[in-house]
């Protein structure tokens, strides 16, 4: 059984552990970046769907 774990980090990205195929909005495969990867949930990343650290630089808070 393959275990995939998605964890919301406090005031930060989702941490995705395990190997999954990530597709862009046009259905094209995004090259594998290994595991874990961090997926943006603040909407501020310039490298979506991945986190680029913008949440920290802009002091994003998840429940603000
Ligand atoms: S969660 Fe890190 S840039 Fe959005």
């Amino acid at each position: 059984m393959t275990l995939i774990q998605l964890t919301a980090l406090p005031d930060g990205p989702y941490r995705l552990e395990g190997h999954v195929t990530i597709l862009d909005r046009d259905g094209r495969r995004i090259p594998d970046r290994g595991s874990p990867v961090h997926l943006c949930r603040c909407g501020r990343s310039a490298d979506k769907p991945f986190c680029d650290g913008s949440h920290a630089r802009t002091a994003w808070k998840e429940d603000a």
Side-chain angles (χ1 to χ4, degrees), residues 21-34:
T21 299
I22 300 175
L23 306 177
D24 69 14
R25 66 182 178 191
D26 296 320
R28 292 181 298 235
R29 184 181 184 138
I30 295 174
D32 186 8
R33 294 193 182 186

Side-chain angles (χ1 to χ4, degrees), residues 9 11-14 38-58 60:
L9 300 181
D11 298 327
Y14 290 109
H38 294 85
L39 301 176
C40 178
R41 68 182 177 121
C42 74
R44 298 174 179 175
S45 175
D47 189 29
K48 294 183 189 79
F50 302 101
C51 170
D52 70 354
S54 292
H55 66 276
R57 288 190 296 277
T58 61
W60 177 75

Side-chain angles (χ1 to χ4, degrees), residues 1-9 13-20 22 34-39:
M1 181 170 97
T2 301
L3 175 65
I4 297 169
Q5 184 166 312
L6 185 67
T7 306
L9 300 181
Y14 290 109
R15 177 184 169 93
L16 175 61
E17 298 171 82
H19 290 281
V20 298
I22 300 175
S35 177
V37 293
H38 294 85
L39 301 176

